[in-house]
Amino acid sequence: MKPIKKISKAVLIGSALILVFTGCVSVDDIVSGNLMAKTEARMGQAVADAMGIGELEDAVLATLIYTQVFYAGGYGYGYEDFTEGEGVAWKLTANDNDGSETLEVERALLKRNADGTAWWFLAYRAEGEDEFISEALLDSDYTIVKFRYHDPETDAIREWVPEQNESAEETADDEEMEEEPEVGYFEGDYGDYVTGTERVVVPAGTYNAEHVLIEDSYTVEDGAEASESYEVRYEWWLVKDVPGDLVKYSWQNVSDNSSLVGELLSHKRGYTTRLESY
């Protein structure tokens, strides 16, 4: 199987998801422009437009949806198993000392192209927010080539394309990371982390799943002297008959008692473009 370049140990993916759940940023904030409101107020709309504030919002939104929906779970295998029109939906529940919040995400393969790119449907449904619908064109390494979405504020279809110099910088960064692996990621076979087979019940059904457990600790440096240590626990439940392999995952930050659990809601076929992307 061809994996996404690196598989997260949950430090970055889990932290990003919990950041959103706890209200620091949301899809509604980005779409409505609240994220850039203070910047625009200080600069003036004309200056902000000249500096590409709108494009920056699109880039942040594309990254947020890609991370939360396409890359949900931090598991980088199984994407080639999707057939055209096939997709999965997930329920995500975040917990911390202040309570819990939930959202639903959905991803589906819409169309594979002869050049190796593919169109994917990505949807996001958070409590108290409008459903967010998008479609992303990804290359053979599953990086974004084009991102299109329905703007619920204007009812228009917006489109964002990463600049070529950004792609070149990402390629250089990837090469550098391959030479010097970063803390918080690992590459290669996860076989050493398999604990056995477990019976797992999720909304989509009951499965006999391969259980993977990763426990890790890391330290984040903050300035010359300050640092903060974390202990994390990451679990995957894998079923090869399900596209994307995952039926459940769990990320837990033992250090601050926060967690994120994802459960498979449904697996179905019949997806087609809703934004006339092709």
Side-chain angles (χ1 to χ4, degrees):
M1 296 184 293
K2 179 181 180 179
I4 292 178
K5 294 176 182 178
K6 292 179 182 289
I7 303 172
S8 171
K9 281 186 178 177
V11 173
L12 297 183
I13 298 302
S15 297
L17 283 162
I18 297 224
L19 177 68
V20 172
F21 283 136
T22 53
C24 296
V25 64
S26 72
V27 169
D28 269 7
D29 286 334
I30 300 171
V31 171
S32 64
N34 291 339
L35 188 65
M36 303 300 176
K38 292 182 179 180
T39 302
E40 292 179 355
R42 292 176 181 175
M43 297 169 59
Q45 186 62 53
V47 177
D49 288 345
M51 292 188 65
I53 294 297
E55 288 190 8
L56 178 58
E57 290 180 351
D58 289 344
V60 172
L61 183 59
T63 302
L64 178 65
I65 295 301
Y66 175 79
T67 302
Q68 292 198 50
V69 182
F70 185 78
Y71 200 51
Y75 178 81
Y77 292 87
Y79 292 97
E80 75 280 2
D81 297 334
F82 284 81
T83 59
E84 290 185 351
E86 185 176 30
V88 291
W90 284 80
K91 176 184 177 181
L92 310 184
T93 303
N95 296 279
D96 60 21
N97 293 326
D98 295 324
S100 65
E101 295 186 51
T102 63
L103 65 80
E104 293 181 11
V105 300
E106 189 173 4
R107 70 174 182 264
L109 173 65
L110 298 176
K111 180 180 174 60
R112 295 193 188 277
N113 300 317
D115 62 359
T117 61
W119 281 102
W120 290 81
F121 170 78
L122 306 174
Y124 172 108
R125 305 176 189 91
E127 293 177 301
E129 295 185 10
D130 293 329
E131 179 183 41
F132 183 84
I133 299 296
S134 65
E135 294 178 2
L137 181 66
L138 306 182
D139 64 18
S140 58
D141 288 323
Y142 304 109
T143 55
I144 298 175
V145 176
K146 184 182 295 184
F147 182 81
R148 309 182 75 243
Y149 69 94
H150 172 253
D151 186 339
E153 294 287 317
T154 64
D155 201 34
I157 305 300
R158 292 179 60 88
E159 182 174 296
W160 174 72
V161 177
E163 295 182 5
Q164 290 184 352
N165 60 340
E166 291 177 349
S167 299
E169 290 174 359
E170 289 174 358
T171 299
D173 289 342
D174 288 340
E175 291 175 352
E176 182 178 346
M177 283 191 295
E178 288 175 2
E179 295 174 0
E180 299 180 9
E182 295 185 3
V183 175
Y185 285 90
F186 72 95
E187 294 181 281
D189 189 1
Y190 58 82
D192 291 342
Y193 302 97
V194 175
T195 67
T197 301
E198 294 184 2
R199 183 175 181 270
V200 59
V201 179
V202 295
T206 301
Y207 300 90
N208 289 319
E210 184 177 56
H211 179 237
V212 178
L213 171 62
I214 301 170
E215 295 178 299
D216 193 25
S217 60
Y218 66 99
T219 300
V220 176
E221 300 293 338
D222 184 12
E225 298 180 359
S227 63
E228 193 167 0
S229 298
Y230 298 89
E231 294 182 18
V232 294
R233 178 185 176 94
Y234 208 16
E235 296 178 271
W236 294 328
W237 286 265
L238 308 175
V239 177
K240 297 303 181 183
D241 293 337
V242 174
D245 298 344
L246 274 178
V247 295
K248 182 178 180 179
Y249 64 87
S250 173
W251 173 84
Q252 182 181 10
N253 186 337
V254 180
S255 304
D256 66 5
N257 198 35
S258 61
S259 65
L260 174 70
V261 175
E263 296 180 305
L264 185 66
L265 280 176
S266 65
H267 163 219
K268 57 186 179 181
R269 293 176 172 82
Y271 288 89
T272 59
T273 180
R274 293 172 58 176
L275 304 180
E276 299 181 354
S277 296
Y278 52 87

